[in-house]
């Protein structure tokens, strides 16, 4: 599909591409079927909206964005596995590209910011609960569409990612390439920079470190 998607972007055709099986979460089919670099590569393609929603609310928001954008194609990367509805997700938030889904900090000064997309946003939220129980002020940000976030005002970006907060962690079941834009020099990315493997989803996510426990440990590293 890559060549066709590129032509639609070049032609300013508002095609809506609905893609599924977006990570190693599809399990036993193995590395030949498991996307790794796909998200990063489409984020690099001009005039494309790469959307990776985390639940039903965000999927509805992503489709709304796609319908309204008639001069550029949209890719909706959907997961195979079952996912819960997240309390802080919203249709309106998706239109901003990145937004806060939960935060127990005051005055826009969290101790650490956890960023995630798609199926890993749930993991970030679980990690945040653990860290908050240990007394930390934690913000969780859904980065459903980088392109839309980049179109927001500097004031809005600062309200989501305050420059004064250097402790940041991203979690995404794909290549970590590109996340440094939002992580800064101190932040750390939890992701996959090799091809996948054939095993049940639970085993794969644990082996590749895509767990709340690993995100908590990584957050403690950037907080140190």
């Amino acid at each position: 599909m890559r060549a066709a998607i590129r032509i639609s972007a070049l032609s300013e055709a508002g095609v809506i591409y609905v893609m599924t099986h977006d990570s190693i979460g599809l399990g036993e089919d193995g590395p030949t079927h498991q996307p790794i670099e796909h998200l990063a590569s489409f984020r690099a393609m001009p005039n494309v909206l790469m959307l990776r929603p985390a639940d039903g609310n965000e999927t509805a928001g992503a489709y709304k964005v796609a319908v309204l954008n008639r001069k550029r194609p949209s890719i909706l990367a959907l997961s195979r596995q079952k996912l819960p509805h997240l309390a802080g997700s919203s249709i309106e938030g998706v239109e901003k590209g990145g937004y806060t889904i939960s935060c127990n900090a005051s005055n826009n000064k969290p101790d650490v910011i956890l960023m995630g997309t798609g199926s890993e946003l749930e993991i970030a939220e679980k990690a945040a609960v653990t860290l908050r129980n240990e007394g930390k002020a934690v913000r969780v940000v859904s980065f459903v569409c980088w392109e839309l976030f980049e179109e927001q005002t500097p004031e809005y970006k600062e309200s989501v990612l305050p420059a004064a907060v250097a402790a940041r962690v991203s979690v995404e079941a794909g290549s970590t390439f590109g996340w440094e834009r939002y992580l800064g020099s101190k932040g750390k990315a939890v992701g996959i920079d090799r091809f996948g493997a054939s095993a049940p989803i639970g085993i794969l996510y644990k082996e590749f470190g895509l767990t709340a426990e690993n995100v908590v440990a990584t957050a403690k590293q950037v907080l140190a």
Side-chain angles (χ1 to χ4, degrees):
M1 289 297 296
R2 183 174 180 80
I5 293 172
R6 191 173 189 272
I7 287 295
S8 64
L10 187 63
S11 304
E12 297 186 349
V15 184
I16 301 173
Y17 297 96
V18 180
M19 305 298 199
T20 64
H21 295 60
D22 69 340
S23 75
I24 60 166
L26 64 94
E28 287 90 339
D29 285 344
T32 57
H33 290 58
Q34 295 168 358
I36 299 296
E37 79 287 358
H38 295 51
L39 294 170
S41 70
F42 284 118
R43 286 169 182 153
M45 187 176 286
N47 200 42
V48 171
L49 294 178
M50 180 68 251
L51 300 121
R52 189 166 184 249
D55 64 4
N57 286 333
E58 288 200 347
T59 301
Y63 194 74
K64 179 183 178 182
V65 164
V67 169
L68 292 175
N69 277 269
R70 297 293 78 213
K71 291 290 188 179
R72 53 183 170 181
S74 299
I75 304 172
L76 276 65
L78 307 178
S79 300
R80 178 194 183 196
Q81 64 267 35
K82 294 179 181 179
L83 297 172
H85 284 290
L86 300 172
S89 68
S90 73
I91 291 173
E92 296 75 22
V94 173
E95 297 178 55
K96 298 288 190 180
Y99 67 104
T100 299
I101 68 163
S102 70
C103 185
N104 67 324
S106 58
N107 301 320
N108 201 32
K109 293 181 180 179
D111 296 320
V112 63
I113 300 174
L114 307 181
M115 302 173 282
T117 72
S119 48
E120 290 72 64
L121 193 60
E122 175 195 10
I123 294 172
E125 187 62 32
K126 287 180 177 178
V129 170
T130 299
L131 289 166
R132 288 168 187 153
N133 288 338
E134 295 178 5
K136 299 298 182 183
V138 184
R139 173 171 297 174
V140 178
V141 174
S142 172
F143 256 105
V144 60
C145 182
W146 294 14
E147 296 81 18
L148 291 176
F149 185 74
E150 288 303 315
E151 293 173 1
Q152 305 309 310
T153 65
E155 292 77 17
Y156 177 77
K157 292 180 184 177
E158 174 67 18
S159 74
V160 177
L161 293 180
V165 182
R168 303 178 181 186
V169 177
S170 66
V171 54
E172 185 173 66
S175 170
T176 61
F177 185 83
W179 275 106
E180 60 274 3
R181 172 186 294 184
Y182 302 116
L183 288 169
S185 60
K186 187 179 179 181
K188 288 184 177 294
V190 175
I192 308 169
D193 290 314
R194 48 153 286 189
F195 291 115
S198 179
I201 178 176
I203 294 175
L204 288 175
Y205 267 58
K206 184 176 181 181
E207 288 297 317
F208 283 105
L210 295 165
T211 63
E213 292 77 13
N214 188 43
V215 173
V216 168
T218 305
K220 289 179 179 178
Q221 289 178 22
V222 298
L223 281 165

